[in-house]
Amino acid sequence: MRRIIDRLAAAFGGAEPDYVAEIAAGTDDASDVVLAHARCFPAAYTRGGTAGVMSVEGVIGNAALSAAQNTISGARHVAGDAGSIAAGLSRDAALRILALGERRVTWWDFGMSGTHPPAELVQSVARTAVGSITDTGERAQGGAVVVRFTFVDGSTFDYRFIRPSDEFWSVAKTYPAAP
C-alpha cells in the first residue's frame, strides 16, 4: 500500500523544478530572459466532458450546461473582437507556468501538477503587445488571484494565478514598458 501512495505522490506532486532553467532549456528564443514567473490557468477555461457513465439525456444536459458556462465565463473574463490578441489565447483548463520575459510573455506546460519537466512552450505574446497586467481584486476558488492582461488592441484576458510572488508583482507592474 505504501508503494502505491508513494507512486501517486510522485505522479501528482513533488517539488517545483527550477522553472527559469527549464524554460531556458526549452525556449526557441535564447535571448528572451525570464524576469518572473507564476502558476496560472485561464479564468474562462473551457468546460466540458462527462464524469462517469451518463445516460444520453445526462450527456446532452451536461453539454448544454458546459456550453452555457463557457459563454458566460468567456463574456466575463475575455473581451475583444474575433481577431484580437485575447481571442487567440488558449482557454484550455490546464495549469500553466506563465513567464514574463524580456521580449515576450510565454505559457509553459509542466504537466498536470506543474512540476514535471521538460517544459513545453504552449503559446506566446510579444511584450510590446501587453498594455497592462493588473490584479482585479477578485479571488477565485482556493484563493487564486484573478489577474487581467490588457493588450494594446484593447482586448483583455483574465487568468487565475496561484500564489504569485512579490517578485512577479514587481515585474508585472512595470512590464508593459519596453526594456
Side-chain angles (χ1 to χ4, degrees):
M1 183 66 155
R2 181 73 181 148
R3 214 168 133 181
I4 292 171
I5 292 171
D6 290 343
R7 284 184 183 173
L8 287 172
F12 297 108
E16 291 183 355
D18 180 345
Y19 290 120
V20 174
E22 292 294 334
I23 290 169
T27 189
D28 56 358
D29 182 356
S31 67
D32 191 23
V33 177
V34 175
L35 304 173
H37 60 80
R39 298 159 59 109
C40 72
F41 58 95
Y45 61 87
T46 303
R47 293 148 175 86
T50 59
V53 178
M54 291 184 142
S55 65
V56 172
E57 293 84 6
V59 171
I60 293 169
N62 191 44
L65 179 60
S66 291
Q69 289 174 323
N70 290 336
T71 300
I72 293 166
S73 182
R76 183 171 176 214
H77 295 291
V78 181
D81 296 332
S84 68
I85 296 167
L89 296 174
S90 172
R91 289 180 57 188
D92 288 345
L95 179 65
R96 300 289 185 229
I97 305 304
L98 181 140
L100 300 176
E102 284 282 346
R103 300 177 47 169
R104 62 189 178 160
V105 180
T106 52
W107 289 259
W108 297 86
D109 183 354
F110 278 85
M112 184 171 68
S113 65
T115 57
H116 300 288
E120 181 182 330
L121 180 62
V122 175
Q123 63 188 7
S124 66
V125 171
R127 181 177 185 171
T128 56
V130 178
S132 66
I133 302 170
T134 55
D135 180 345
T136 65
E138 293 180 49
R139 298 299 177 259
Q141 294 169 326
V145 179
V146 179
V147 176
R148 176 161 292 154
F149 279 69
T150 302
F151 300 100
V152 294
D153 65 359
S155 65
T156 63
F157 198 102
D158 294 348
Y159 286 93
R160 293 179 182 183
F161 277 75
I162 302 166
R163 296 184 301 279
S165 67
D166 290 340
E167 175 189 22
F168 176 84
W169 286 119
S170 177
V171 172
K173 188 183 301 183
T174 60
Y175 190 73

